[in-house]
């Protein structure tokens, strides 16, 4: 049987019911990776040996009669900006080309404790800066639905490997849409949890007031299961929240009668594809037929989300990336003659053009004389964006919008025009600025035969309602069952 085609919860059931050995599952994924990876290029590092070792462990524990956590033996891909002991962690940057961490990210530790075998480390835009995976210093990843198209980004490798069945699920990180936009481009589910819901210890930081780790899965049930596994307070991350962690799968009832849904007109951006607009409006009709009420609303400040983000994110990245100086770890230039040229040369050689541009913009926005005009102003407007959400959530349970204004574009099509690419982050960025949970679920197929994503945003820490709304939609439609043909 082609086990690799199954969802994580279907595989979990087979293993827990002792119908299939975890090793057979691992073999199936190893074969799948072997046969499609050359075309898709999801992974920077493949770890089938580690996957098989863990699967063997699972089988022997099951043989001993032990009860294992729900996702034991279900293979998972990990974005290559999360630290893994003994396995190269590059953030798709030359500056970390040979970096092998000496500690695990908390999410990776949690996967290990749950006996989740790791298929490999997935490709991304360098340091998660980008929307297409083309900013990877190593190679671009291809969209499994059409190999000439981008998989989205920055978690493009994670999205592609789930869509190509090269793992059962993957972890991504989302600073301005990097889980949801690639999920939308690749026809899978991507959940950005509430800021602080999941520990970022061991995540190579991009913009610390925005970064969040989350699940990228084949369906909503898998997203809930993976969130169960990775969420929770962590003493190693002071921004992780000490709050109740419910069993998110309990929220997956189909009953959304009386749910109040807001549809903000500002998310229907200029230049948006007609096919995307139609798919989202059809989704709205489905929600109404399921007993929810949907009302059009206005969120006047969300249009400032984009410029605000492109000040705050570079400002934080310019500070976070200061640590890559060629001294303690990462690339060290052999052309340097003194301390300063060591920093300068190592960083010039190690960082790619997008990262350099952001570091420069960030330093500019933070420098004396410009700080008030740019950084401080951006923080103030961020508060206004957040207040727009607060006001809507006084009356509504969730907000529904497109995930991206358009479907996946061609590889190389927008590389000369980074401005256009950034404009397309308009629908995902507001949730990061407000710190709220947001999910993307498949909701249609565009004129170009590429997937379209529906975004559902909720109140802070109310992932349950977001998942409930997503599940009800998924169960009423068949879009999640459509697969890339490879
Ligand atoms: N596309 C956005 C950017 O380039 C978001 C990236 C992300 O969420 N990591 O900054």
């Amino acid at each position: 049987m082609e086990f690799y085609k199954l969802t994580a919860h279907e595989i979990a059931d087979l293993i827990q019911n002792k119908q299939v050995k975890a090793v057979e599952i691992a073999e199936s994924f190893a074969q799948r990776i072997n046969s499609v990876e050359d075309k898709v290029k999801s992974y920077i590092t493949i770890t089938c040996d580690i996957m098989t070792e863990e699967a063997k462990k699972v089988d022997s524990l099951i043989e001993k009669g032990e009860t294992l956590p729900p996702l034991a033996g279900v293979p998972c891909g990990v974005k290559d900006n999360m630290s893994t002991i003994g396995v190269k962690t590059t953030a798709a940057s030359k500056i970390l080309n040979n970096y092998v961490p000496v500690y695990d990210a908390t999410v990776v530790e949690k996967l290990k404790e749950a006996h989740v075998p790791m298929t490999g480390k997935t490709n991304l835009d360098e340091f998660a800066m980008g929307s297409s995976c083309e900013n990877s210093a190593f190679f671009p990843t291809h969209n499994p639905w059409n190999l000439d198209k981008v998989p989205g980004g920055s978690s493009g490798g994670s999205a592609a490997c789930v869509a190509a069945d090269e793992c059962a699920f993957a972890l991504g990180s989302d600073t301005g849409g990097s889980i949801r936009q690639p999920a939308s481009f690749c026809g899978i589910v991507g959940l950005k949890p509430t800021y602080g819901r999941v520990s970022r210890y061991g995540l190579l930081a991009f913009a610390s007031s925005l970064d969040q780790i989350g699940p990228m899965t084949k369906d909503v049930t898998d997203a809930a299961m993976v969130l169960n596994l990775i969420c929770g307070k962590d003493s190693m991350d002071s921004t992780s929240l000490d709050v109740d962690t419910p069993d998110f799968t309990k929220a997956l009832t189909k009953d959304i009668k009386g749910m109040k849904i807001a549809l903000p007109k500002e998310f229907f951006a200029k230049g948006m594809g007609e096919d995307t607009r139609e798919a989202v409006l059809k989704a709205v009709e489905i929600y109404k037929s399921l007993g929810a009420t949907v009302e059009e609303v206005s969120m006047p400040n969300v249009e400032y989300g984009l410029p605000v983000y492109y000040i705050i994110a570079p400002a934080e990245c310019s500070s976070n990336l200061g640590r890559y100086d060629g001294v303690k770890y990462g690339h060290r230039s052999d052309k340097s003659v003194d301390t300063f040229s060591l920093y300068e040369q190592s960083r010039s050689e190690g960082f790619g053009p997008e990262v350099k541009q952001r570091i420069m913009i960030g330093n500019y926005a933070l420098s004396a004389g410009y700080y008030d005009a740019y950084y401080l102003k951006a923080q103030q407007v961020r508060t206004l964006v957040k207040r727009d959400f607060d006001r809507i959530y006084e009356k509504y349970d969730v907000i529904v919008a497109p995930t991206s204004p358009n479907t996946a574009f061609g590889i190389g099509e927008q590389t000369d025009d980074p401005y256009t690419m950034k404009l397309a982050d308009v629908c995902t960025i507001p949730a990061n600025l407000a710190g709220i949970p947001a999910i993307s679920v498949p909701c249609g197929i565009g004129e170009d035969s590429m997937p379209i994503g529906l975004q559902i945003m909720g109140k802070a820490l109310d992932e349950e309602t977001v998942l409930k709304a997503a599940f009800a939609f998924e169960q009423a439609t068949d879009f999640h069952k459509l697969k890339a043909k490879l």
Side-chain angles (χ1 to χ4, degrees), residues 10 113 199 227 275 312 358 431 438 452 460:
E10 285 165 346
E113 276 163 16
S199 165
L227 185 60
D275 46 1
I312 293 176
R358 295 200 194 202
I452 300 173

Side-chain angles (χ1 to χ4, degrees), residues 224-251:
M225 287 177 80
V226 176
L227 185 60
N228 276 351
L229 173 58
I230 61 176
C231 72
K233 172 74 187 160
D234 176 14
S235 61
M236 300 302 280
D237 174 1
S238 62
T239 63
S240 69
L241 296 168
D242 195 2
V243 289
D244 275 353
T245 53
D247 175 356
F248 292 102
T249 61
K250 295 252 164 67

Side-chain angles (χ1 to χ4, degrees), residues 79 127-131 153-154 173-179 206 309-310 313 354 358 422 425 429 432:
K79 188 174 179 180
F127 282 102
M129 297 173 198
S131 311
S154 65
S173 66
D174 191 314
T175 305
S178 278
I179 288 176
F206 164 12
Y309 172 87
Y310 278 103
E354 180 69 27
R358 295 200 194 202
K422 290 184 172 95
D425 294 337
I429 279 172
N432 299 81

Side-chain angles (χ1 to χ4, degrees), residues 116-131:
V116 172
M118 183 170 79
T119 50
K121 303 294 296 290
T122 62
N123 199 16
L124 63 150
D125 289 294
E126 185 175 357
F127 282 102
M129 297 173 198
S131 311

Side-chain angles (χ1 to χ4, degrees), residues 348-365:
S348 299
E349 293 165 14
F351 290 133
E354 180 69 27
V355 174
K356 282 180 187 156
Q357 190 193 60
R358 295 200 194 202
I359 292 172
M360 284 190 279
I361 292 172
N363 277 318
Y364 182 84

Side-chain angles (χ1 to χ4, degrees), residues 270-296:
K270 263 188 263 152
M272 175 178 187
E274 206 36 55
D275 46 1
T276 300
R277 179 191 307 275
E278 267 171 34
V280 174
L281 294 179
K282 266 194 202 136
V284 164
E285 292 310 312
I286 291 171
Y287 272 119
K288 285 183 185 161
S289 73
L290 294 173
T293 58
V294 186
E295 282 173 6
E296 196 178 296

